[in-house]
Amino acid sequence: MSRIALIVTFEVRPGCHAALLDLMRRHAAACLADEPGLERFDVLEAMDAAGRPDPLRLMLYEVFRDQAAREAHWAKPRHEATKAAFAPLIEGRSSQLCRLGPD
């Protein structure tokens, strides 16, 4: 089966970047420690053209071994708790699911 990547972009509420960044870093570390099918979970700070962090955008890059690992990740109670915790920190989000090249 093909590995799956998920790229999520958050539109951060003004003044909430540091809180969301901390929350997502802790979430990523907990997921990586607990989910063998999650191969990678990076928290990315978007940058502007001058190389400065964009305080209104934050991104995640996750790589799953396969579809079953992705579904297991979303089924964890931690996933819903984290979604509830970040909801007041964001104005919106978009995501893109991707298949990683040949195995």
Side-chain angles (χ1 to χ4, degrees):
M1 292 193 120
S2 294
R3 292 166 52 222
I4 296 171
L6 178 65
I7 302 166
V8 182
T9 301
F10 293 99
E11 298 168 35
V12 183
R13 289 189 191 277
C16 294
H17 184 268
L20 183 61
L21 181 62
D22 179 62
L23 175 67
M24 287 304 164
R25 284 181 174 161
R26 287 186 285 117
H27 177 61
C31 291
L32 285 166
D34 184 46
E35 300 177 32
L38 179 61
E39 297 177 357
R40 184 176 191 110
F41 194 144
D42 296 326
V43 180
L44 310 172
E45 290 186 84
M47 295 169 53
D48 65 18
R52 295 179 302 249
D54 180 347
L56 301 179
R57 222 166 24 128
L58 193 66
M59 301 171 75
L60 304 178
Y61 176 72
E62 301 168 75
V63 176
F64 300 94
R65 176 182 57 225
D66 54 25
Q67 180 64 23
R70 178 178 160 255
E71 291 170 5
H73 171 71
W74 285 6
K76 294 274 186 181
R78 174 179 49 242
H79 189 265
E80 288 302 316
T82 300
K83 280 176 59 176
F86 73 60
L89 305 175
I90 67 169
E91 303 220 348
R93 71 177 175 171
S94 63
S95 61
Q96 180 64 55
L97 195 60
C98 306
R99 182 171 55 111
L100 288 166
D103 295 337

